[in-house]
Amino acid sequence: MKTKVVIVSCYGYMQPPNAEPLSAEILHSSLLSKFTPEEIDCYHEVLDYRIDPMGYLLADKLSVSDIKPDVLGISIPQSTYDLSISFLDAFFLKNPNTLIVLGHALPTHSPDIFLQKYSNALIVRGWGEETFCEIIAGVRSKKLNLSKIPNLMYFENEIKKNIVKWPTTYTKPIRYQPNGYFARIESSRGCHYDVCTFCTRQPKALKNISWFRYPVQEVLEEIRHIKSLGISSFTFTDEDFIGNDLSGAEELANGLTEISDIKFSLSVRVDNIINLSESEEMNNRRFSLLKLLKAGGLSLVYLGVESLSDTQLRRYGKGVTASESIKALNIVRDLEIPAEFGYILFDPFLTFDELEENISWLAKSNFWMDVGQLFNNLRVQKDTAFVKHLQNKNLLGKYDPNTMDYEYEFETPIIGKMASYCIQWKEEIDEVYSLARNVQRTKLSESPSDKFIYNYRLLEFNILKEFVKIADGNGSISFDNDLKNRRTELVIDLKQSLENMNLLESEVNLLKAINSYMMKWVNKN
């Protein structure tokens, strides 16, 4: 008898609508490698809040007799808690006997919330290829021994957590819609540094490594495969592309130059661009690697800078200094590789000196133009070192299960007020700006979004400088209508440019967000 399996990928506001559901594609492929078509039917569904905001449409669809799954796997990343709960509630009403398997960040880090509500559900901690296959095997044999399955959490009088095992075998994903999503390639997993105080960690056994690279030739073969499907651009999903394996990165770069005629983006740490604790020979190899990657099609590099204040960097546990970050940024610029760097300007312990230090560095060489989002506050996520630090200072506030982070108070009230205004400003336009960035990140060629992003970042940087001047003079911080009008003028200019061109799907989504923003702005004014 066939076992029906449905894998659902949830998309909230943190997930771009054109992001390829790679984890589902890998799970699906793993199942097909273990079971025959006579043994299982496996389907995939996307649950996007933009299309099905409560999940009711999908719940009804999966309740039809010839589709109804025996096992439902659902991927629940940050920003999809409410969506997943409303979907699961609606689905359970009609399908109480379906086995539910939950995965991704929210169930991994907040298992109590889900298991209190769905006590018979299973949760996969971290990566789940082997785990999911063993669950299906147990369902088919009617001998599901939960205690023997790695990476599993479940409720049995209390929450049980099984041993953690990282899958290290490369699984070639099934590409659901090769030209419908922005392609993603995975060449490594984990983070070799793995000690930043604001980062969550992948669950692992005590002696497990924190990062590994997949066999390079298998990764290159998958890149050749997507190119044969007509895909000319992709992103490496790796948190840490180079890791502690410079030779592997060099082998990948050489392979990419041989493949040719393809564009890609990737993420690296600052000390993988230049590491002052290493020899000149090693840093020359890092420089040569960047040049080789550019020759192979590197069109955008993401750098985890986070701050340009040394004391703030120490608080974040980054293991680098501001001057090292500046050196790395200048190297990337000198090579004319477009860059975007992550930045966490506001944290609970930010001081005026640190704020001014950040502004000073950003002003030099116009580094503000490469900051992904300047008005970012530190997201104090569950299971991170920052949680305990805030508890000790009595600054920790309410937990938000949707975003997996905590509210908090600022040690310096005026900094807190400034952060509050900046975050409010960001939230008002975040969907438009995030989708414009998504166009820039996935198109990897000139777009009207580029001009909008540049001018919007300049506006934010000028606002920040003005706020600091006002605060230094004990003035009142607020946004006047002129600033909001300027922001709207930028949006209108982008809208008009998009309306006069043939649009990619990502640009269509951006235009929808612009129209929604304009309706809200008109209503307020």
Side-chain angles (χ1 to χ4, degrees):
M1 185 175 178
K2 276 191 179 183
T3 302
K4 293 181 182 177
V5 181
V6 173
I7 302 171
V8 174
S9 301
C10 292
Y11 282 55
Y13 67 85
M14 290 185 180
Q15 291 74 45
N18 66 336
E20 185 178 24
L22 185 63
S23 59
E25 294 172 336
I26 290 172
L27 285 180
H28 194 159
S29 181
S30 297
L31 290 177
L32 295 186
S33 71
K34 299 291 184 183
F35 303 98
T36 68
E38 290 73 35
E39 291 174 318
I40 67 164
D41 274 332
C42 187
Y43 305 95
H44 174 255
E45 296 284 351
V46 167
L47 176 55
D48 192 327
Y49 85 106
R50 302 166 185 89
I51 299 168
D52 188 3
M54 300 297 290
Y56 295 159
L57 296 177
L58 182 58
D60 287 343
K61 178 181 177 179
L62 296 182
S63 299
V64 177
S65 59
D66 61 339
I67 300 176
K68 185 182 298 187
D70 301 299
V71 180
L72 176 70
I74 176 168
S75 176
I76 310 176
Q78 294 170 12
S79 79
T80 65
Y81 174 77
D82 296 326
L83 175 65
S84 66
I85 293 297
S86 60
F87 162 73
L88 285 170
D89 283 349
F91 180 82
F92 261 127
L93 282 175
K94 298 180 180 180
N95 308 280
N97 297 321
T98 295
L99 177 62
I100 305 296
V101 183
L102 312 176
H104 217 298
L106 295 188
T108 292
H109 293 282
S110 297
D112 51 323
I113 294 176
F114 288 93
L115 291 177
Q116 284 171 7
K117 191 169 180 63
Y118 312 110
S119 59
N120 292 325
L122 306 179
I123 293 176
V124 178
R125 304 169 65 197
W127 294 296
E129 295 96 304
E130 180 180 344
T131 307
F132 202 50
C133 287
E134 289 197 24
I135 291 170
I136 302 303
V139 169
R140 287 192 53 74
S141 67
K142 296 183 170 55
K143 296 178 181 178
L144 186 58
N145 188 342
L146 299 181
S147 65
K148 300 295 184 182
I149 300 177
N151 300 0
L152 201 63
M153 288 189 288
Y154 55 96
F155 187 80
E156 196 175 87
N157 298 319
E158 61 181 0
I159 295 177
K160 304 284 188 179
K161 296 182 180 181
N162 292 354
I163 61 167
V164 172
K165 183 178 178 182
W166 280 21
T168 55
T169 302
Y170 185 77
T171 301
K172 179 182 173 66
I174 291 174
R175 304 284 172 176
Y176 290 135
Q177 298 178 38
N179 294 290
Y181 294 109
F182 184 62
R184 302 166 72 196
I185 293 287
E186 188 177 37
S187 75
S188 68
R189 284 185 174 180
C191 173
H192 90 282
Y193 182 67
D194 204 38
V195 295
C196 292
T197 58
F198 56 85
C199 277
T200 57
R201 308 272 184 268
Q202 279 289 346
K204 58 180 181 286
L206 186 62
K207 295 182 180 180
N208 270 15
I209 57 173
S210 62
W211 181 90
F212 69 89
R213 187 181 300 288
Y214 281 121
V216 170
Q217 292 307 313
E218 292 187 54
V219 175
L220 290 171
E221 183 55 38
E222 182 61 18
I223 296 170
R224 293 186 189 97
H225 171 64
I226 66 169
K227 185 180 178 184
S228 73
L229 297 174
I231 294 171
S232 59
S233 59
F234 69 90
T235 186
F236 283 101
T237 64
D238 311 27
E239 291 179 61
D240 190 4
F241 176 79
I242 297 174
N244 54 10
D245 179 25
L246 190 58
S247 296
E250 290 168 334
E251 187 181 353
L252 269 170
N254 279 309
L256 285 160
T257 59
E258 291 174 7
I259 293 170
S260 73
D261 296 323
I262 199 161
K263 294 181 179 181
F264 60 90
S265 59
L266 55 80
S267 300
V268 293
R269 278 179 51 84
V270 162
D271 53 12
N272 263 323
I273 301 296
I274 182 169
N275 192 324
L276 299 183
S277 66
E278 291 184 342
S279 67
E280 182 179 355
E281 179 187 0
M282 284 297 292
N283 281 311
N284 285 339
R285 280 182 65 189
R286 295 184 185 282
F287 183 76
S288 296
L289 170 62
L290 279 176
K291 287 174 40 176
L292 192 59
L293 286 166
K294 182 184 177 184
L298 177 59
S299 301
L300 183 60
V301 61
Y302 303 110
L303 285 157
V305 174
E306 316 310 351
S307 172
L308 290 173
S309 161
D310 284 336
T311 51
Q312 197 174 30
L313 285 167
R314 285 195 292 273
R315 195 156 60 243
Y316 291 166
K318 288 296 293 182
V320 296
T321 64
S323 61
E324 287 172 313
S325 295
I326 294 297
K327 285 184 173 69
L329 293 169
N330 279 326
I331 287 171
V332 173
R333 253 191 200 177
D334 289 346
L335 288 172
E336 297 182 342
I337 301 173
E340 178 180 303
F341 53 90
Y343 218 74
I344 308 173
L345 181 62
F346 295 107
D347 80 87
F349 307 106
L350 180 68
T351 67
F352 266 108
D353 286 344
E354 291 170 340
L355 187 55
E356 289 173 341
E357 188 179 3
N358 274 293
I359 290 173
S360 175
W361 276 116
L362 289 171
K364 293 175 182 176
S365 302
N366 291 328
F367 283 121
W368 54 264
M369 71 172 64
D370 296 321
V371 174
Q373 173 53 261
L374 183 59
F375 287 178
N376 258 348
N377 63 318
L378 180 73
R379 293 183 56 240
V380 178
Q381 300 181 95
K382 193 172 184 181
D383 298 333
T384 62
F386 236 95
V387 173
K388 188 173 182 180
H389 195 22
L390 284 170
Q391 285 174 329
N392 292 338
K393 296 283 188 176
N394 293 318
L395 295 173
L396 194 68
K398 185 173 64 175
Y399 178 65
D400 183 351
N402 191 49
T403 50
M404 209 177 82
D405 57 16
Y406 292 87
E407 296 177 357
Y408 52 80
E409 296 180 19
F410 284 78
E411 262 195 337
T412 305
I414 188 63
I415 294 283
K417 185 175 182 181
M418 191 184 304
S420 177
Y421 274 111
C422 289
I423 299 308
Q424 179 185 344
W425 167 279
K426 181 186 82 167
E427 289 176 349
E428 288 174 359
I429 195 173
D430 194 47
E431 186 175 18
V432 171
Y433 179 63
S434 295
L435 290 175
R437 285 172 68 198
N438 183 54
V439 169
Q440 189 179 65
R441 289 174 165 195
T442 58
K443 196 170 184 178
L444 298 179
S445 59
E446 288 187 7
S447 161
S449 293
D450 298 342
K451 178 184 175 184
F452 168 76
I453 289 170
Y454 175 89
N455 287 322
Y456 178 74
R457 288 174 179 173
L458 177 58
L459 178 61
E460 281 198 340
F461 187 55
N462 287 333
I463 288 170
L464 181 64
K465 290 189 293 182
E466 190 61 29
F467 272 11
V468 171
K469 286 181 184 178
I470 292 170
D472 277 343
N474 296 316
S476 177
I477 296 171
S478 64
F479 287 109
D480 59 32
N481 284 334
D482 286 344
L483 290 172
K484 293 189 175 183
N485 288 340
R486 175 61 184 142
R487 181 178 67 184
T488 300
E489 287 170 5
L490 296 179
V491 176
I492 291 171
D493 184 55
L494 176 58
K495 173 182 168 69
Q496 291 172 343
S497 297
L498 291 172
E499 288 175 338
N500 291 315
M501 58 184 284
N502 293 323
L503 301 181
L504 300 175
E505 185 63 29
S506 58
E507 291 167 324
V508 171
N509 290 321
L510 171 57
L511 190 55
K512 289 177 182 176
I514 289 171
N515 289 331
S516 176
Y517 170 83
M518 293 301 299
M519 287 179 65
K520 292 176 185 177
W521 183 84
V522 169
N523 289 337
K524 284 187 176 182
N525 293 276

